[in-house]
Amino acid sequence: MSTTITAEFQAAERFFDSGEGALFVTGRAGTGKSTLLRRLKERGGRTAVVVAPTGLAAVNAGGQTIHSFFKFAPKLINPGDIKRAANPKLIQSIDTLIIDEVSMVRADLMDGIDRSLRLNRDRPSDPFGGLQLMLFGDVCQLSPVIQRELTPYFEENYGGVYFFNAPGFRDAGCEILELNQVFRQKDEEFVAILNAVREGRATNDDYAALNARVMPLENMAKPASAVILTPTNQAAIDMNREALGRLKGSVTPFEATISGQFDESAYPTEKVLHLKTGAKVVMLRNDPKGRWVNGTLAEIALVKGREVHIAVGGEVHELEPVTWENTRYAMNDATQEITSDSVGKFRQLPIRLAWAMTIHKAQGLTLESVYLDMGRGGFAHGQTYVALSRCKTLEGLGLARPIRRSDVIFDRAALRYRELFN
């Protein structure tokens, strides 16, 4: 997905350079949020720290998990849990805190961030300790995961579960920057349908347009290149295992090399990849030589010993392992600067079997052809929108069964940020 530098990108860069305020950068799927975040990281001139709510999100953003950076326990966070850091200089030296995938951050966790920054920066009256705050995410895609029985607690104590319900935002004067240019899809009709699904206002005509794509997989224009998306992990595992078993030849396992600290939940692909010649895979990293990007489909052309060759766009290339790093921020006592240190590495071939994958694992990918099998139905806010929006065109979409209204789960409380932020 090629991305041009828009006026919104430039506005975000000017905000970053100003060094002040709070900004929520949001937008539909495919509007370049991740690209913009990377640009800001590389911009320099400020001490910026990137954190994210999950290990995988942190690895993908090149940052650290919120819990690890702030030393929060993996539980519901109460005000009494916030303690002064053993070395508060690290937090005091931050100019800008960037939080990626902020839609997954619960109100108690954001409240904990606010309280920790006030305490450790010795600025108890200033929201988020007076530092610049930049938030990236789309509340219509990924939402916080909580136990159902805790919902009344969040309603009573915060007014809701989402990050923007944290009290600190009442005085932070958070602004909104919405990225409006969709780079993934070019068809305005498809974009309009996706946006209606995204905001829970799809009409009968929208459902009819989508459900006209119901067909057997083999009836798709390019069935061999279609990726089956499904809500559950087990369904994806079973589909990939069955497809791999249909290929001739024996399976060769490729085990990742893991060193240092690298939590299993942050693994960017399987620890052990089981591959055969002819296996369909998806690329998980951009190629430095530009031969493929994250989300490109490929086929295993040859497995010979420990060598793996892939076919992409009619050409065959030898595939080399790549390294993902688990980052920790630290204070360099000699220079009094914040350093970004690698505390763990995960080295593996940058691929995943791609006959099928879960909707969650497809998050962030751009796919030419998608076959959506909702199975027993959607079960999470934004899930169906994420699945549909992976596909570049309506013509590249196929459905195993009609999309039902019950598949499109939408929590209207997710849009309350529009009322709370400037």
Side-chain angles (χ1 to χ4, degrees):
M1 181 179 73
S2 61
T3 306
T4 56
I5 305 308
T6 65
E8 287 88 359
F9 274 46
Q10 293 171 340
E13 290 170 345
R14 288 194 298 271
F15 180 91
F16 178 80
D17 292 341
S18 76
E20 298 178 346
L23 183 70
F24 176 33
V25 180
T26 187
R28 293 167 282 178
T31 51
K33 294 183 292 296
S34 296
T35 300
L36 175 56
L37 191 155
R38 286 194 296 272
R39 283 178 60 86
L40 295 179
K41 275 188 65 180
E42 296 165 359
R43 194 166 179 82
R46 303 187 54 71
T47 302
V49 163
V50 180
V51 295
T54 68
L56 182 56
V59 166
N60 288 337
Q64 188 172 346
T65 65
I66 294 170
H67 285 81
S68 172
F69 183 81
F70 287 98
K71 303 295 188 289
F72 293 155
K75 67 180 187 65
L76 190 68
I77 297 173
N78 295 302
D81 297 326
I82 307 304
K83 307 296 183 185
R84 193 167 184 85
N87 182 8
K89 284 186 178 180
L90 175 63
I91 293 178
Q92 291 169 359
S93 299
I94 301 172
D95 293 324
T96 302
L97 180 67
I98 300 174
I99 304 179
D100 196 20
E101 299 291 8
V102 72
S103 64
M104 298 180 68
V105 177
R106 302 187 316 261
D108 66 308
L109 183 55
M110 185 59 79
D111 188 32
I113 293 171
D114 177 27
R115 291 174 183 274
S116 179
L117 291 172
R118 293 179 192 238
L119 175 64
N120 287 289
R121 292 170 68 85
D122 297 316
R123 298 179 65 170
S125 300
D126 294 331
F128 300 97
L131 58 62
Q132 185 183 59
L133 188 67
M134 297 192 75
L135 315 170
F136 286 76
D138 179 9
V139 294
C140 295
Q141 293 189 54
L142 299 172
S143 60
V145 177
I146 64 164
Q147 296 168 301
R148 184 172 297 179
E149 57 267 27
L150 288 177
T151 300
Y153 171 86
F154 280 96
E155 289 294 337
E156 180 179 346
N157 290 276
Y158 295 103
V161 68
Y162 291 94
F163 74 93
F164 50 77
N165 294 115
F169 284 113
R170 295 171 190 157
D171 301 318
C174 190
E175 301 175 44
I176 304 170
L177 177 63
E178 186 140 8
L179 305 182
N180 291 307
Q181 184 170 337
V182 178
F183 299 100
R184 183 174 295 148
Q185 293 91 14
K186 305 301 181 185
D187 178 4
E188 290 300 323
E189 179 188 2
F190 190 33
V191 169
I193 292 170
L194 290 176
N195 206 36
V197 172
R198 175 179 181 260
E199 297 193 354
R201 52 178 179 80
T203 64
N204 290 336
D205 287 344
D206 294 326
Y207 281 101
L210 290 172
N211 291 333
R213 306 301 302 166
V214 174
M215 64 186 75
L217 176 60
E218 56 269 22
N219 286 8
M220 293 189 68
K222 297 179 180 179
S225 63
V227 176
I228 303 171
L229 296 186
T230 181
T232 65
N233 192 49
Q234 191 58 52
I237 290 172
D238 291 344
M239 291 177 192
N240 282 325
R241 184 178 294 147
E242 181 182 351
L244 190 66
R246 288 196 298 265
L247 296 177
K248 295 180 180 179
S250 57
V251 170
T252 302
F254 290 83
E255 185 165 3
T257 301
I258 304 169
S259 59
Q261 303 171 30
F262 215 109
D263 193 79
E264 186 174 352
S265 65
Y267 289 176
T269 186
E270 278 78 22
K271 179 181 178 181
V272 181
L273 286 166
H274 296 92
L275 302 178
K276 277 186 188 181
T277 299
K280 183 194 291 189
V281 295
V282 63
M283 310 308 298
L284 300 178
R285 287 276 285 266
N286 294 341
D287 176 45
K289 298 179 180 179
R291 296 169 295 180
W292 57 78
V293 296
N294 183 23
T296 297
L297 288 180
E299 183 178 298
I300 302 298
L302 175 68
V303 178
K304 184 179 180 181
R306 305 313 296 169
E307 290 184 14
V308 175
H309 296 255
I310 59 169
V312 181
E315 297 182 353
V316 175
H317 310 278
E318 184 174 356
L319 184 63
E320 298 290 341
V322 301
T323 300
W324 286 267
E325 295 190 350
N326 184 21
T327 300
R328 291 289 185 276
Y329 293 102
M331 194 72 192
N332 185 313
D333 292 332
T335 64
Q336 292 299 295
E337 294 179 346
I338 294 177
T339 60
S340 176
D341 301 324
S342 174
V343 297
K345 295 182 179 181
F346 181 99
R347 186 166 178 80
Q348 177 61 290
L349 296 168
I351 55 177
R352 182 190 299 278
L353 289 178
W355 285 286
M357 66 178 69
T358 63
I359 295 168
H360 182 77
K361 287 178 180 173
Q363 176 74 22
L365 296 183
T366 298
L367 301 171
E368 296 285 346
S369 185
V370 168
Y371 191 71
L372 179 56
D373 185 350
M374 291 302 294
R376 295 181 180 179
F379 56 82
H381 163 80
Q383 188 178 47
T384 301
Y385 168 66
V386 169
L388 294 171
S389 61
R390 298 311 94 198
C391 198
K392 293 177 70 173
T393 65
L394 187 59
E395 292 71 26
L397 176 68
L399 303 178
R401 64 160 176 80
I403 299 292
R404 301 188 288 254
R405 288 188 177 273
S406 59
D407 292 321
V408 181
I409 300 171
F410 181 75
D411 181 4
R412 298 202 172 276
L415 297 181
R416 283 199 60 225
Y417 72 89
R418 294 175 176 173
E419 305 167 14
L420 298 173
F421 291 175
N422 296 331

